[in-house]
Amino acid sequence: LDVFGSGPDFKEIVSRAEASGLSMNFLGAKDHQDASFRDYKVFVNPSLSDVVATTTAEALAMGKFVIVAEHPSNHFFAQFPNCMVYRTEEEFSKCVTKALQREPEPLSDEDRYRLTWEAATERLINVAEPGRKRNLTAQALDQLSWRTHHLLTNIEQFRKFAGAGVGTRHAPEDLRKMDGEQYSGAGFFDRARTKKARA
């Protein structure tokens, strides 16, 4: 398995792979247009932190199989015939085996267009367009979500619980003089990370 990329966790990932005896070739970061990528038939993106996985879109556009985790950032890609989604380790293994035994389907003109920046921009405009008609249920949910968020984020106890920090409802006059330790509230969602950082 050839692995491309870099980042703050790179050394830890390499060490863990070596300790587990995995046959993985870490080739570092490469430009998305590198000619060597053309030789691959399968692209695996196990990330659960991507917001928009452009590498996945590029692999689909190149006519490759892509194997991704069940995650909101991958819902768009799951529509494509060459995309395989896994939820467990067993499903991941089945996806890899299936992809290696078959050939990717040729992209239709429609699917190829959906992977362009032009199509992505159109989808964004359709969602954000002012005055766009929405049904009453969607409008009611929008109002409920906004009011709930507005109410809860104005309650200091909830802000502390959620990890916003003590006294962070209003920004200080001079952000350059802000002391992060002063606002540390060890909220419920940040508790483990805060304790680890202090240790």
Side-chain angles (χ1 to χ4, degrees), residues 61-86:
M62 294 173 71
K64 303 181 185 302
F65 281 121
V66 298
I67 300 174
V68 296
E70 168 60 39
H71 187 264
S73 65
N74 293 322
H75 287 176
F76 170 73
F77 303 119
Q79 307 171 58
F80 292 83
N82 290 331
C83 180
M84 301 181 187
V85 180
Y86 66 89

Side-chain angles (χ1 to χ4, degrees), residues 20 23 31-32 44 60 83-84 91 106 123-124 128 136 138 143:
S20 301
S23 179
D31 186 84
H32 292 198
V44 179
L60 281 171
C83 180
M84 301 181 187
E91 288 185 2
R123 290 192 294 271
L124 175 62
L136 291 176
Q143 284 294 321

Side-chain angles (χ1 to χ4, degrees), residues 10-121:
F10 182 75
K11 290 183 179 179
E12 182 181 347
I13 293 170
V14 173
S15 298
R16 187 169 178 178
E18 291 175 348
S20 301
L22 299 176
S23 179
M24 303 175 78
N25 305 314
F26 291 91
L27 304 174
K30 285 195 175 185
D31 186 84
H32 292 198
Q33 297 183 19
D34 193 286
S36 64
F37 291 144
R38 299 172 188 166
D39 300 330
Y40 295 93
K41 183 175 74 169
V42 183
F43 173 77
V44 179
N45 185 356
S47 176
L48 296 177
S49 60
D50 283 331
V51 179
V52 180
T54 53
T55 52
T56 302
E58 289 168 352
L60 281 171
M62 294 173 71
K64 303 181 185 302
F65 281 121
V66 298
I67 300 174
V68 296
E70 168 60 39
H71 187 264
S73 65
N74 293 322
H75 287 176
F76 170 73
F77 303 119
Q79 307 171 58
F80 292 83
N82 290 331
C83 180
M84 301 181 187
V85 180
Y86 66 89
R87 296 167 187 80
T88 64
E89 293 181 7
E90 291 76 17
E91 288 185 2
F92 173 77
S93 296
K94 289 179 180 178
C95 287
V96 172
T97 301
K98 184 177 179 181
L100 292 176
Q101 292 175 345
R102 299 170 49 190
E103 290 300 318
E105 294 184 25
L107 272 179
S108 67
D109 291 340
E110 180 184 354
D111 283 344
R112 189 175 297 280
Y113 177 74
R114 288 198 297 161
L115 291 167
T116 65
W117 282 112
E118 181 181 356
T121 303

Side-chain angles (χ1 to χ4, degrees), residues 146-160 164 168-170:
W146 179 84
R147 290 184 185 280
T148 302
H149 178 268
H150 184 70
L151 173 67
L152 293 177
T153 54
N154 278 284
I155 300 173
E156 181 67 15
Q157 289 80 3
F158 179 81
R159 293 175 62 80
K160 288 168 59 179
T168 57
R169 180 179 171 192
H170 301 291

